[in-house]
Amino acid sequence: MRKGGFFPRLALSNLMRSRQFYLPYLLTVIGTGAAYYIASALAGARDLPVMTRYAYLAAFMQIGTFVIALFAVIFLTYTNSFLMKRRRRELGLYNILGLGKRHIAVMLGLETLYTAAAGIAGSIALGLLLQKLVTLLLYKIMRFDAYYGFYVSGRSIGATAILLSVILFFNLLLNLGRIHLQNPAELLREGSAGEREPRTNRPAAVLGVLCLGGGYAIAVITKSASTAMGLYFIAVFLVILGTYLLFSAVSIAVLKALRNNKRYYYQTNHFIGVSGMLYRMKRNAAGLANICILSTMVLVMISGTLSLYLNSRDAIARQFPGNMGIGVEYRPSAQSPFDSGALSTQVAAELRREKLSGSPVYGYSWLGLLAAEKNGGYQICSSYSGSSCQLCFLTAEQYAKITGGAPESEFSSELSLAFPGGGKMQLSVRPLSKNLPAIGGAFASTIEPKWFILKDAFDLDALYQAQAAALGSEDAASMSWYGFWNVKGEEQQLTDLPQTLEEGLAFDGTGSFERLEVQTAQAYSR
C-alpha cells in the first residue's frame, strides 16, 4: 500500500470528497491567518509616520496580535473538532476495511500537511492583498499623510506561518489522540449513538466565574488612564477565557443544579427546557462562545473607534485653550530666573517673522511631583510605579489666570508630604474636586493627576526647594510653565509652526531651560 503514492492520493481524495466540511475549515484558516498577518505587519510597519505621540500605535498592534493568536487557537481548535465529529464514521470504516491506526495517522498527517500548505499560502496572499487597504484606512483615521509605497513584512510572514503550523499540528495531535483511544466499532456507532450527558467540571466552572469576574472588575475598578492601558489586554484575556468557560462549564453546572432542585425541575415548563438545554450546551458551547466574543468585539471596536474619531476635534479643542501651546521645564534659581514675559516677547517676534499674528490667552507655572498615598498623606518618590499618582501644585494667582476667578473655598485642608530621607512638610491647600479642562492643556500626562492650589508663590517655591533637596539634582522635579496663544494663519503654516518655533526661539535673557515643546491644535490633530 505504500507504493505509488497511495496515501498522498487517498488524503487528497478525502479532502476533495469532504470539501463541504474542509472548505469552510480552510477558509477559516485563511481568514484567521490573514488577520494575524495584517496586525503583525502594522505593528512593525516601516512607512508609518515617526511621531512621538503615535509611538503607542505599534505597541497596541503588537498586543493585538497576541489577542488574535489566542482567538485563533480557540477558534481553529473548535472548528477542527466540529470537522472530525463528521468524519468519525468514515475513519472507523477505514479501520474495518484493513487500515491500521498507524495508516490512518499517516493519512491524517498528509491531510493536515495539504491543509497547512493551502492555508498558509492563502492567508499570506490575502494578507498581502488587504494589507495596503487596511494601512490606508489607518492613515485616514489617524490623519497621516498617505504613502503609496508597498512593502512585504518577512517577519510577519514567518510569524503567520509558524502560528498556523503550530495550531494545525496541535489539532493533528488531538485527532490522533481521539483515534488511538477509540476502537473501530465505537467510531462506526458514534454517528448513530445517543448523546451522552455532559459531565460537570467544577474546577473549570469556578475558574470561569473568577476569570469573567476578574476581567469586569478590572474594567470597573481601574480609574487611572496609565493603569488602564497596561491592564486592558489582561482584562480582554480574562473575559475571553471566562466566556468560553461560562458556556462550556458554568452553564452545565447551573443546569445540573436546576435539575437537582426537584421542586423546580419537575414542572411542565421547566422539565423539557432544562434537559434539552443541558445537551444543547454540550454540543454548542464553543460555537455560542465564539459568537458572543466576536459580536462583542465588533460592537466594542466600532462604538469605541467611532466615538474617539468623532470626538477627537472636540477633545483637542478642550485641551488647547488657544490653538498654540508652549511648555517649558526649568529649575528656578537666583542666577537664572525664569522670565515668562521675555519668552512671550520672543514668541511674538518669531510669529511676526513667519508673517503670522497671535494673541496670548494665558500662561501659568506649576509643579508636578510623583507620589504614592501613605498613612493619610503622600510619599514623594523619584520614579513611577503602578500605584503612583501626580501631585500638581499651582498658586491662587495662577488658578485665577486659568478660570478668571479666585478659589471658591478657603485654604483649610492640610496636606502631609513625606520626602525620601525622612523629611516631612505640611501645606495649607485647597484641593480641586475635579480637573478643569484647561489645566495641563495639551501637555496633560496619562498619570492620574491630583491638583492642589497653594496660597502664593512663596509656598510653591518652598515646596520646590524641599523636594529638590530631598531628591537631589538628578531626580528632583522641574518647574513647568505652560503658555497658550491664538494664532491666525493657514492650516499648513500652523502644522509646521512647532518645529519652526522650537528652532527659532533663542533662550538668551529668558532663563535656563531643560526642555521646551511647542504644539498646535492643527499639528496635534494630525
Side-chain angles (χ1 to χ4, degrees):
M1 287 192 299
R2 298 182 181 180
K3 297 181 180 180
F6 172 76
F7 285 110
R9 290 199 306 272
L10 179 61
L12 187 59
S13 65
N14 285 341
L15 293 178
M16 297 300 296
R17 186 171 57 253
S18 304
R19 57 183 176 273
Q20 69 271 26
F21 301 129
Y22 267 101
L23 183 59
Y25 180 58
L26 181 60
L27 293 177
T28 303
V29 173
I30 292 175
T32 305
Y36 181 83
Y37 170 80
I38 292 172
S40 179
L42 287 177
R46 296 175 299 177
D47 56 347
L48 288 177
V50 181
M51 301 180 185
T52 302
R53 60 181 175 270
Y54 294 129
Y56 64 86
L57 180 62
F60 273 117
M61 294 303 299
Q62 191 66 48
I63 300 174
T65 58
F66 170 76
V67 176
I68 294 175
L70 174 65
F71 185 77
V73 172
I74 299 172
F75 192 57
L76 292 180
T77 301
Y78 164 73
T79 309
N80 172 74
S81 176
F82 175 82
L83 175 65
M84 292 306 297
K85 284 181 180 179
R86 299 298 184 274
R87 296 194 62 199
R88 284 179 179 177
R89 189 179 183 89
E90 172 192 346
L91 297 178
L93 183 60
Y94 278 134
N95 207 179
I96 293 296
L97 293 177
L99 290 182
K101 291 184 178 181
R102 183 169 59 88
H103 301 131
I104 294 177
V106 172
M107 182 187 69
L108 291 178
L110 290 172
E111 292 177 2
T112 302
L113 182 62
Y114 293 150
T115 304
I120 293 173
S123 62
I124 293 174
L126 182 61
L128 290 173
L129 182 65
L130 298 179
Q131 174 191 348
K132 193 60 186 180
L133 176 63
V134 174
T135 304
L136 291 176
L137 180 62
L138 178 65
Y139 285 173
K140 179 65 176 177
I141 294 175
M142 301 292 290
R143 300 188 179 97
F144 288 151
D145 292 328
Y147 171 76
Y148 291 101
F150 184 79
Y151 74 95
V152 176
S153 175
R155 181 187 64 84
S156 300
I157 291 177
T160 304
I162 292 173
L163 175 67
L164 294 181
S165 299
V166 169
I167 294 175
L168 293 177
F169 181 71
F170 174 71
N171 289 340
L172 174 62
L173 294 180
L174 292 180
N175 297 338
L176 296 181
R178 296 188 185 103
I179 297 299
H180 177 73
L181 294 176
Q182 291 181 301
N183 59 49
E186 289 179 346
L187 292 174
L188 284 173
R189 289 197 306 265
E190 192 158 345
S192 57
E195 188 75 22
R196 294 180 181 178
E197 181 179 302
R199 296 179 180 179
T200 303
N201 191 337
R202 288 187 175 85
V206 173
L207 180 62
V209 172
L210 293 177
C211 288
L212 203 59
Y216 282 106
I218 291 174
V220 173
I221 295 173
T222 305
K223 302 297 182 183
S224 171
S226 58
T227 306
M229 291 172 65
L231 295 177
Y232 174 75
F233 286 98
I234 296 178
V236 170
F237 172 76
L238 290 176
V239 169
I240 290 177
L241 180 59
T243 302
Y244 275 102
L245 294 177
L246 175 69
F247 281 94
S248 60
V250 178
S251 62
I252 301 298
V254 171
L255 289 170
K256 283 196 172 183
L258 292 176
R259 190 181 64 177
N260 292 334
N261 186 342
K262 307 301 182 182
R263 295 181 61 185
Y264 177 87
Y265 182 65
Y266 290 108
Q267 295 183 25
T268 306
N269 294 333
H270 302 157
F271 182 83
I272 297 177
V274 172
S275 59
M277 282 294 296
L278 193 60
Y279 289 92
R280 289 194 186 98
M281 292 308 299
K282 178 185 177 181
R283 294 193 301 267
N284 303 319
L288 291 173
N290 286 330
I291 294 171
C292 180
I293 293 172
L294 283 174
S295 59
T296 303
M297 283 183 173
V298 170
L299 289 174
V300 171
M301 180 188 66
I302 293 177
S303 60
T305 305
L306 188 62
S307 177
L308 290 172
Y309 182 74
L310 294 178
N311 293 307
S312 59
R313 294 191 181 275
D314 291 338
I316 292 171
R318 289 192 298 270
Q319 292 180 16
F320 282 87
N323 64 350
M324 183 185 77
I326 296 180
V328 173
E329 291 183 3
Y330 66 95
R331 296 184 182 273
S333 65
Q335 293 76 21
S336 57
F338 171 67
D339 188 349
S340 60
L343 178 61
S344 298
T345 301
Q346 291 186 355
V347 170
E350 289 294 325
L351 291 176
R352 285 194 300 271
R353 189 171 67 85
E354 296 296 325
K355 298 180 180 180
L356 296 170
S357 61
S359 57
V361 180
Y362 61 75
Y364 62 95
S365 295
W366 65 285
L367 175 64
L369 301 176
L370 286 176
E373 292 192 48
K374 185 177 180 180
N375 299 328
Y378 292 93
Q379 174 69 45
I380 304 301
C381 48
S382 58
S383 59
Y384 173 76
S385 65
S387 59
S388 297
C389 63
Q390 188 178 40
L391 304 182
C392 305
F393 301 91
L394 74 163
T395 64
E397 180 184 0
Q398 305 291 345
Y399 179 82
K401 290 181 180 180
I402 298 172
T403 62
E408 296 177 359
S409 61
E410 298 296 329
F411 295 88
S412 56
S413 299
E414 290 293 323
L415 183 65
S416 177
L417 301 178
F419 297 97
K424 295 184 178 181
M425 190 175 189
Q426 292 287 125
L427 290 172
S428 295
V429 298
R430 186 243 173 177
L432 291 180
S433 58
K434 61 179 180 179
N435 296 330
L436 299 180
I439 289 183
F443 309 89
S445 171
T446 56
I447 303 175
E448 181 184 4
K450 296 185 178 181
W451 285 88
F452 300 91
I453 304 174
L454 300 175
K455 291 181 179 179
D456 49 39
F458 178 80
D459 287 349
L460 185 61
D461 183 65
L463 176 59
Y464 172 80
Q465 298 299 336
Q467 65 90 26
L471 297 176
S473 57
E474 293 186 0
D475 296 328
S478 302
M479 289 290 296
S480 300
W481 179 85
Y482 290 160
F484 297 94
W485 282 261
N486 280 320
V487 181
K488 296 180 180 179
E490 298 293 332
E491 182 175 353
Q492 189 59 46
Q493 286 180 297
L494 297 176
T495 302
D496 299 336
L497 187 58
Q499 182 177 358
T500 303
L501 279 182
E502 289 175 5
E503 293 175 352
L505 285 174
F507 301 146
D508 294 340
T510 63
S512 60
F513 295 87
E514 290 186 330
R515 187 176 70 90
L516 180 142
E517 182 180 5
V518 181
Q519 292 185 1
T520 60
Q522 283 75 11
Y524 196 74
S525 65
R526 295 175 64 84

